[in-house]
């Protein structure tokens, strides 16, 4: 068969795309057979959470925002693939983890957690989700860790829940799904949450959700408010607001975590330093350190849903291997491709162990 120019170009562009997307994965993994793998952004839900979300979207039939549409879809058929996998905390999940060599899932209640719900409902659903999570971990202590859900709508109660999650439930951190009723963590009304997280040594995983109302308009078309683009813009902006508010000067030992390869914040590392010179952005709120110093001290990033070897290499080079953790983003992303990506990533074995599990164990106080 004669290959014409178009066929050749087609083949070349297909292989370039395969490079970005991680390829066919036919190469043997560089990871050893006994590789430990801890995924740190793995979603679950509970029947009570599903019902609360159903009641909430049912009570607001006029809202057509992306997250409302998504939750109408998720809760309309709990037997469909995604809700079924979110609600399953043993059978399917453990079987698949075994099949692909995933040692542990650090679980978090799926986004937006309880942050859309009315405050009273939110506080209750958060507590019982944390109780259920602690029970699942107690049944499978070597397979699951967990991040506590809180209701930032009630900052003082959220702070108490962080303490309960650490001392009574032995959970490993906290998840906050970006904005709460369009407000961000730089708002000092939320600082009791930051104070508790720092005091309890509970990292805060700032997980994406649909952009706030203030920044929604440009994302409303083309389904851009989704994980495709809007989630990342919302969450990266949230982190930068928090950093520029001086929160990390007030709470210097606070650890935050961003998924999706740091929501791209550290790709701006040089420009963040350059543009925040005194008298420019830093004129308003004088932060004590350079942005790059907070990125290396108060932030860990994860690989959830970004199976891109070049981006991983860059992240390790600028932040250090000790600041990067592996995550799958199950069930929204698939276990086999996330494993194949990290098994084959161009890393030394020391770096691979750091990213695959050692950094997670250190950051979230996981005792294997
Ligand atoms: Mn996720």
């Amino acid at each position: 068969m004669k290959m014409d120019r178009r066929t050749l170009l087609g083949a070349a562009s297909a292989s370039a795309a395969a490079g970005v997307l991680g390829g066919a994965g036919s190469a043997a993994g560089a990871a050893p057979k006994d590789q430990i793998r801890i995924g740190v952004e793995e979603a679950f839900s509970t029947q009570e959470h599903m019902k609360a979300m159903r009641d909430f979207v049912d009570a607001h039939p006029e809202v057509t925002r992306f997250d409302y549409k998504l939750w109408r879809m998720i809760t309309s058929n709990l037997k469909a693939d995604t809700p079924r996998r979110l609600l399953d905390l043993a059978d399917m999940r453990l079987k698949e983890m075994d099949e692909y060599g995933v040692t542990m899932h650090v679980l978090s209640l799926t986004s937006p957690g309880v942050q859309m719900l009315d405050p009273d409902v939110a506080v209750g659903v958060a507590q019982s989700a944390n109780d259920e999570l602690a029970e699942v971990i107690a049944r499978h202590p070597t397979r699951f860790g967990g991040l506590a859900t809180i209701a930032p709508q009630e900052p003082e109660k959220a702070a108490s829940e962080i303490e309960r999650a650490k001392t009574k439930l032995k959970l490993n951190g906290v998840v906050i799904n970006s904005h709460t009723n369009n407000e961000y963590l730089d708002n000092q009304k939320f600082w009791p949450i930051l104070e508790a997280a720092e005091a309890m040594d509970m990292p805060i995983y700032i997980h994406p959700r649909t952009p706030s109302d203030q920044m929604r308009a440009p994302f409303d078309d083309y389904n851009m408010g989704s994980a495709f683009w809007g989630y990342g813009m919302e969450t990266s902006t949230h982190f930068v607001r928090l950093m520029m508010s001086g929160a990390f000067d007030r709470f210097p030992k606070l650890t935050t975590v961003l998924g999706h390869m740091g929501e791209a914040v550290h790709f701006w590392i040089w420009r963040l330093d350059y543009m925040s010179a005194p008298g420019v952005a830093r004129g308003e709120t004088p932060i004590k350190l350079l942005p790059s110093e907070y990125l290396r001290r108060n932030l860990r990033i994860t690989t959830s849903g970004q199976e891109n070897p070049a981006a991983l290499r860059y992240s390790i080079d600028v932040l250090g291997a000790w600041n990067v953790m592996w995550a799958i983003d199950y069930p929204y992303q698939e276990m086999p491709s996330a494993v194949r990506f990290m098994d084959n990533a161009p890393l030394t074995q020391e770096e691979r162990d750091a990213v695959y599990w050692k950094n997670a164990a250190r950051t979230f106080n996981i005792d294997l």
Side-chain angles (χ1 to χ4, degrees):
M1 189 177 72
K2 200 176 139 208
M3 267 195 164
D4 63 14
R5 183 175 157 73
R6 186 187 297 194
T7 312
L8 281 169
L9 281 175
S13 66
S15 73
V20 170
L21 294 172
S26 55
K33 279 215 159 21
D34 59 351
Q35 179 69 57
I36 297 170
R37 301 176 179 89
I38 301 179
V40 297
E41 190 198 312
E42 316 312 332
F44 80 104
S45 182
T46 66
Q47 294 289 346
E48 188 187 9
H49 180 233
M50 286 287 180
K51 182 176 184 310
M53 291 305 291
R54 175 84 236 176
D55 292 346
F56 180 80
V57 291
D58 280 354
H60 300 87
E62 73 290 355
V63 185
T64 58
R65 224 167 75 186
F66 174 79
D67 43 5
Y68 284 68
K69 286 195 280 189
L70 179 70
W71 277 93
R72 278 183 201 114
M73 192 179 78
I74 288 177
T75 57
S76 65
N77 177 13
L78 297 187
K79 292 198 165 66
D81 200 45
T82 298
R84 204 161 54 97
R85 295 209 285 173
L86 285 168
L87 289 164
D88 162 70
L89 278 163
D91 305 338
M92 281 187 295
R93 192 183 296 246
L94 283 172
K95 189 162 166 269
E96 199 173 339
M97 287 166 68
D98 288 343
E99 189 176 347
Y100 296 104
V102 177
T103 315
M104 180 182 276
H105 274 192
V106 177
L107 300 165
S108 45
L109 191 68
T110 196
S111 182
V114 299
Q115 288 166 243
M116 286 165 79
L117 305 173
D118 296 330
D120 288 349
V121 178
V123 169
V125 174
Q127 285 174 355
S128 53
N130 293 336
D131 290 340
E132 282 193 47
L133 181 54
E135 282 166 29
V136 170
I137 295 168
R139 279 201 296 279
H140 305 279
T142 61
R143 307 311 302 279
F144 294 127
L147 306 183
T149 296
I150 56 168
Q153 298 93 316
E154 295 280 359
E156 295 292 344
K157 288 178 184 167
S160 307
E161 185 64 5
I162 291 172
E163 190 175 348
R164 188 181 80 98
K166 174 78 174 192
T167 57
K168 299 250 164 45
L169 303 180
K170 313 290 181 203
L171 297 182
N172 305 95
V174 180
V175 61
I176 296 180
N177 299 286
S178 202
H179 72 87
T180 304
N181 296 322
N182 305 308
E183 292 180 317
Y184 294 93
L185 292 170
D186 62 287
N187 187 323
Q188 295 201 8
K189 75 191 243 186
F190 295 122
W191 286 20
I193 294 171
L194 308 185
E195 189 179 0
E198 186 195 44
M200 291 285 121
D201 190 21
M202 292 278 266
I204 296 177
Y205 203 123
I206 306 177
H207 185 281
R209 62 171 293 193
T210 306
S212 65
D213 287 342
Q214 304 93 300
M215 62 185 285
R216 244 186 59 219
F219 300 94
D220 267 351
D221 301 316
Y222 318 116
N223 212 20
M224 278 173 61
S226 69
F228 165 71
W229 191 251
Y231 285 21
M233 295 301 107
E234 155 71 23
T235 314
S236 55
T237 302
H238 190 159
F239 175 83
V240 176
R241 283 188 70 100
L242 183 62
M243 177 173 72
M244 296 311 284
S245 73
F248 297 130
D249 294 324
R250 176 86 167 271
F251 307 108
K253 291 193 157 66
L254 178 64
T255 298
T256 53
V257 184
L258 288 174
H260 312 94
M261 213 63 90
E263 311 293 356
V265 169
H266 61 302
F267 287 84
W268 286 76
I269 196 163
W270 187 89
R271 195 161 174 80
L272 286 170
D273 281 357
Y274 179 80
M275 282 291 176
S276 66
V280 192
R282 272 205 284 175
E284 268 184 60
T285 310
I287 52 172
K288 293 202 177 119
L289 304 178
L290 287 167
S292 59
E293 295 175 289
Y294 298 111
L295 294 191
R296 294 185 183 114
R297 188 186 73 180
N298 298 96
L299 176 68
R300 312 266 183 276
I301 71 163
T302 84
T303 64
S304 56
Q306 288 272 24
E307 296 163 10
N308 179 343
L312 174 65
R313 187 66 260 166
Y314 168 82
S315 299
I316 290 175
D317 289 346
V318 300
L319 298 176
W322 286 106
N323 289 321
V324 183
M325 296 182 276
W326 182 66
I328 305 160
D329 210 355
Y330 181 89
Y332 304 105
Q333 305 268 150
E334 299 298 330
M335 282 194 224
S337 68
V339 168
R340 197 160 59 224
F341 157 62
M342 189 55 58
D343 276 10
N344 292 288
L347 307 178
T348 66
Q349 187 54 32
E350 196 181 2
E351 289 171 331
R352 195 182 327 276
D353 280 331
V355 174
Y356 243 150
W357 69 276
K358 283 186 176 170
N359 197 25
R362 181 182 63 116
T363 301
F364 294 113
N365 293 305
I366 295 167
D367 186 4
L368 289 171

